[in-house]
Amino acid sequence: MRKITLKHTMPAKLARHLDEDLNESQRAAVTAPDGYNLILAGPGSGKTRVITYRVAFLIARGIPAQSILLVTFTRRAAREMVHRLETLVGPGAQKVWAGTFHAVGNRILRRPAHLLGYEPNFTILDGEDQLDLVKLAWQDAGLSGQAKLAPKPDEIMRLISLGLNTRQTLADLVAGPHPHLADWLPQIEKVAEAYAARKRAANCMDYDDLLGLWLKLIREFPDQLREQADLFRHILIDEMQDTNALQVETVETIAAAGAGNLTAVGDDAQSIYRFRGANYDNILEFPKRHPGSRTFMLDVNYRSTPQIVALTADSIRHNRSGFPKALTSARGDGLLPAVVATADVYEEADLVCQQVLEARDNDVPLGEVAVLYRNHYDSVVLQGELVTRGIPYSVRSGLRFFEQAHIKDVLAHLRVAVNPRDEASWRRLLLMLPGIGPAKAAALFGKIGDSPDPIAAMATKEAMDAVPAKTRGLYAAFVGDMRKLLATDPERHPAEAINAILKGGYPAVVRQKYERPENRLADLEQFAVLAARYDSLERLLAELLLAGDVYGMDTVASSDPKDVLVLTTVHQAKGLEWSHVFVIRLVEDSFPHLRAVNEPGGDEEERRIFYVAVSRAKNELTLTYPSTITRGGYGPMTFATPSRFLTELEPTLYERAELDREFLPLEDDRPRGGR
């Protein structure tokens, strides 16, 4: 049989971009042959550009955009890549399957949900709703009578999640890192079974189900595996080092059943999410799992000065595992990173504030300055000093917007509108009514949950008789509010649905139940503005509950991000960059974290966290540590030990900065929190 080769002509614009915008190593990765490819991308090496150009190259070769799966770890990253892709290949870029693992799982599971015992309109539980159902399953398993001794529902919930994501059984986890739960294993397994049953009955999935049921779908239904293998001719995984066993097994199963085209992109030295179940071996062992795969190294840093890159490279050399690093900078010379010892945490905060203001005076916007720390509580003293000085700042480690209680209340209304069988949301709504506790809420849901029209069932005499007499008036008003909510056609007009909630009895609940009620109601008004961008309530709810990268921010005195200093944990800073970066509280037991270094592999994980921290800086990097500390803000002051990540650095790669302490006159002294 003759072999016919079909040649595609690459658009001149894309060919020019490949030639002009990429260095030699980037171009080799972008134009790699089909098969299994590993792209090791050091900090600032143009990883996003390479992934985007790789997808554009595949489309130019004739691969349909809808046959490409691009999995990222944040919605922001997916949006950025698709936007860049549009500039290269046009509007067809929107056809690429781009999104987080959970978002892709949500999209895939909708149509074949019935195969798994669900209906296509299933709703997604967030963490609090999930815990609510686990508590009920905990009671189902008979543990409520042994409450003082039994493992708590939240501990069991974490075990269930960890087991699913790491592909371990509950017995494996109990036998390994949780031996104190060995006597309770049969009951824990009963809780897990009851929890799964309750989710199916309520037509709800939690975040983990979006991954676990996706894998179950392709494992137990060969037609589904074949369909996905035929659909996804090329799979690209961003941040491979942050994947867990469940995620990798899913995409590698699909790739193996199909064309065998899988491109993994990441940096093993930036693997810092082991506590979430991320498996370091997913990237480290990639060449072993796929013999004959190709490895491409991106080691030219376009972000940082040579001095910062040299310190970054040196910071990771003490780790015994990992791919060898040969990082270089494409930029001109800059300042050596500075290491500064302060007298205590108050002077450390004082120093940071002064240096931040000095940078601003030198025309560096506050939004281009960040303070990084290993633990959120290490920022408290600094925040006090920032407030005292009136320096606007934001905290990136706060609650997600949709995890705030008043937002979750409104989401519960909306979720019931989409899925009237959503037990967790019904319970949240019913518990807002005075005189209705958990038992009464469960009894009420029992009367309406199985009805074809739960809203109508709420108004029946049987349901009304189950409500305490003193609550019936408020209950009747609540029923009326729910009817008005549905009358807005919330599925097509989610913004109108939120406004209907605000016009009902819920604002009175906010004023009675929460602090700063007017601020919360203003939040909800802005929520309605956000919702107006969506043409489907189902889509709004799914995207909000999958928005793992959207966080609320506590800002002071400014609404313009360019004028706001950033405070963030290193974990939240991953993937970001700033002109000037301060890494504070670099002492033993804090950075590295005491508990982490006592776990197997903990020392290397903590060193990778330090590597991520120092590689965020573009122009200036300052590392600080207090020489003395007190525990809990009181008690004797003790000398602190500088972090091992400082003492093991080559001394020629940084400069020791000496503080010139000019003391103010006594009458000008400002109070320092608790000192």
Side-chain angles (χ1 to χ4, degrees):
M1 180 179 293
R2 287 188 301 164
K3 181 178 181 181
I4 300 176
T5 301
L6 180 64
K7 296 182 178 180
H8 293 274
T9 301
M10 184 178 299
K13 178 183 176 183
L14 179 59
R16 186 175 66 253
H17 278 299
L18 293 179
D19 185 53
E20 296 177 356
D21 299 349
L22 304 175
N23 63 35
E24 186 176 346
S25 58
Q26 290 173 331
R27 195 177 304 112
V30 166
T31 59
D34 288 356
Y36 290 91
N37 296 302
L38 175 62
I39 302 174
L40 295 173
S45 62
K47 172 176 67 68
T48 299
R49 172 174 292 185
V50 167
I51 298 173
T52 305
Y53 278 57
R54 173 68 176 169
V55 175
F57 175 75
L58 293 173
I59 293 174
R61 280 181 42 208
I63 304 299
Q66 61 269 24
S67 293
I68 299 173
L69 173 60
L70 171 59
V71 186
T72 66
F73 267 77
T74 65
R75 295 166 67 221
R76 177 179 57 82
R79 287 195 301 267
E80 180 183 351
M81 290 182 191
V82 171
H83 177 70
R84 290 192 185 189
L85 193 57
E86 283 182 303
T87 65
L88 297 173
V89 301
Q94 292 288 342
K95 296 180 180 179
V96 173
W97 281 65
T100 64
F101 272 101
H102 294 90
V104 173
N106 171 63
R107 184 177 170 186
I108 284 175
L109 289 172
R110 289 290 171 180
R111 186 171 55 81
H114 64 282
L115 297 175
L116 301 164
Y118 286 85
E119 296 175 14
N121 67 331
F122 63 81
T123 46
I124 304 168
L125 299 166
D126 68 4
E128 187 174 332
D129 298 321
Q130 183 181 0
L131 180 58
D132 203 23
L133 279 191
V134 171
K135 287 178 179 177
L136 294 174
W138 189 77
Q139 295 171 4
D140 294 341
L143 292 178
S144 54
Q146 309 173 65
K148 292 184 178 180
L149 300 174
K152 298 296 184 285
D154 58 344
E155 185 175 15
I156 297 177
M157 183 177 77
R158 287 193 295 270
L159 274 181
I160 294 171
S161 177
L162 183 62
L164 182 68
N165 284 287
T166 59
R167 303 292 283 152
Q168 299 179 80
T169 66
L170 291 171
D172 292 335
L173 292 174
V174 168
H178 301 87
H180 62 289
L181 298 175
D183 293 341
W184 294 96
L185 179 60
Q187 291 92 330
I188 292 172
E189 291 174 335
K190 286 182 180 178
V191 173
E193 292 171 4
Y195 173 55
R198 280 187 172 272
K199 284 187 292 183
R200 286 193 298 272
N203 195 34
C204 293
M205 295 184 190
D206 60 29
Y207 291 114
D208 296 327
D209 291 326
L210 299 174
L211 304 180
L213 292 178
W214 180 7
L215 180 59
K216 181 178 181 179
L217 186 70
I218 60 177
R219 286 290 191 205
E220 297 185 5
F221 300 94
D223 289 347
Q224 291 293 317
L225 175 58
R226 174 47 52 197
E227 181 179 317
Q228 293 184 39
D230 290 342
L231 173 61
F232 299 130
R233 292 170 56 184
H234 280 266
I235 301 175
L236 298 92
I237 308 298
D238 188 22
E239 305 288 7
M240 183 68 166
Q241 75 280 354
D242 295 332
T243 57
N244 59 43
L246 175 59
Q247 292 164 333
V248 163
E249 184 176 345
T250 299
V251 293
E252 291 191 342
T253 298
I254 296 170
N261 295 322
L262 176 64
T263 298
V265 186
D267 181 2
D268 58 295
Q270 295 189 60
S271 177
I272 62 173
Y273 290 112
R274 184 176 57 167
F275 67 95
R276 293 183 185 171
N279 189 341
Y280 181 62
D281 286 342
N282 286 348
I283 190 167
L284 196 63
E285 301 294 326
F286 186 92
K288 293 182 180 178
R289 292 198 308 278
H290 306 293
S293 63
R294 291 165 290 272
T295 300
F296 301 87
M297 305 290 294
L298 307 182
D299 47 20
V300 179
N301 185 306
Y302 293 90
R303 172 189 300 155
S304 307
T305 63
Q307 289 76 11
I308 293 173
V309 170
L311 184 139
T312 297
D314 192 61
S315 71
I316 202 68
R317 65 183 171 89
H318 288 275
N319 273 10
R320 293 182 295 276
S321 61
F323 296 102
K325 301 288 183 293
L327 304 178
T328 60
S329 173
R331 295 187 52 194
D333 275 347
L335 297 174
L336 280 173
V339 175
V340 189
T342 63
D344 53 29
V345 296
Y346 305 105
E347 188 173 70
E348 183 180 50
D350 208 15
L351 166 72
V352 171
C353 288
Q354 289 187 37
Q355 293 298 304
V356 166
L357 293 174
E358 185 176 316
R360 186 176 66 178
D361 291 343
N362 289 325
D363 297 326
V364 178
L366 285 182
E368 274 294 313
V369 184
V371 183
L372 277 53
Y373 34 84
R374 173 65 178 84
N375 315 291
H376 178 66
Y377 53 76
D378 286 334
S379 71
V380 173
V381 173
L382 175 60
Q383 290 190 52
E385 186 66 19
L386 290 168
V387 170
T388 299
R389 291 172 177 259
I391 300 175
Y393 70 97
S394 67
V395 179
R396 295 285 178 88
S397 44
L399 282 176
R400 293 177 177 87
F401 176 74
F402 57 84
E403 287 181 345
Q404 298 176 87
H406 55 300
I407 304 300
K408 289 174 64 64
D409 290 345
V410 171
L411 287 175
H413 285 83
L414 300 178
R415 286 166 49 156
V416 164
V418 169
N419 175 19
R421 290 168 51 198
D422 188 335
E423 181 179 1
S425 293
W426 272 116
R427 284 171 52 81
R428 186 179 188 95
L429 296 178
L430 292 170
L431 287 171
M432 292 180 195
L433 299 172
I436 295 183
K440 186 64 69 174
L444 268 170
F445 180 78
K447 295 182 182 300
I448 66 176
D450 293 331
S451 170
D453 185 355
I455 304 293
M458 290 176 64
T460 62
K461 184 177 185 303
E462 181 183 12
M464 192 69 72
D465 288 344
V467 178
K470 64 179 182 180
T471 309
R472 286 174 187 166
L474 290 172
Y475 178 80
F478 170 62
V479 173
D481 287 345
M482 294 303 296
R483 284 175 167 166
K484 291 176 183 176
L485 169 60
L486 291 179
T488 65
D489 190 7
E491 180 53 34
R492 288 197 301 153
H493 303 291
E496 287 186 24
I498 295 173
N499 285 323
I501 296 168
L502 290 173
K503 291 175 183 176
Y506 181 67
V509 173
V510 173
R511 292 187 175 93
Q512 189 230 347
K513 186 177 179 182
Y514 298 122
E515 297 178 356
R516 300 180 294 109
E518 299 309 317
N519 289 350
R520 293 175 187 266
L521 292 174
D523 281 347
L524 295 175
E525 291 172 358
Q526 290 303 306
F527 186 19
V529 173
L530 170 66
R533 299 176 57 189
Y534 290 82
D535 56 6
S536 161
L537 181 55
E538 182 179 288
R539 178 168 163 253
L540 168 68
L541 292 175
E543 290 204 8
L544 279 179
L545 291 167
L546 293 169
D549 55 324
V550 178
Y551 284 80
M553 290 162 56
D554 301 317
T555 59
V556 177
S558 176
S559 58
D560 187 348
K562 294 180 180 178
D563 297 326
V564 178
L565 172 71
V566 175
L567 272 59
T568 175
T569 61
V570 181
H571 285 92
Q572 295 293 339
K574 190 169 178 294
L576 304 177
E577 60 183 32
W578 295 271
S579 173
H580 290 40
V581 169
F582 297 83
V583 186
I584 65 172
R585 211 59 57 86
L586 282 162
V587 295
E588 289 292 304
D589 299 349
S590 183
F591 200 165
H593 194 282
L594 175 62
R595 287 198 303 272
V597 295
N598 289 329
E599 298 174 357
D603 181 70
E604 295 207 351
E605 173 101 347
E606 291 292 298
R607 189 173 286 105
R608 292 194 293 269
I609 297 172
F610 181 70
Y611 171 87
V612 169
V614 297
S615 62
R616 301 306 95 200
K618 295 189 287 186
N619 300 315
E620 292 192 22
L621 173 64
T622 304
L623 312 173
T624 71
Y625 67 94
S627 300
T628 59
I629 56 175
T630 56
R631 298 298 179 188
Y634 57 87
M637 185 173 288
T638 60
F639 287 105
T641 302
S643 169
R644 68 193 70 182
F645 305 142
L646 290 178
T647 58
E648 68 191 19
L649 288 172
E650 171 59 45
T652 60
L653 298 178
Y654 61 87
E655 64 176 345
R656 282 270 181 190
E658 297 294 331
L659 290 182
D660 184 9
R661 295 178 174 86
E662 296 181 0
F663 291 99
L664 296 172
L666 184 61
E667 61 268 24
D668 290 335
D669 282 352
R670 293 189 304 272
R672 298 287 186 268
R675 191 167 64 165

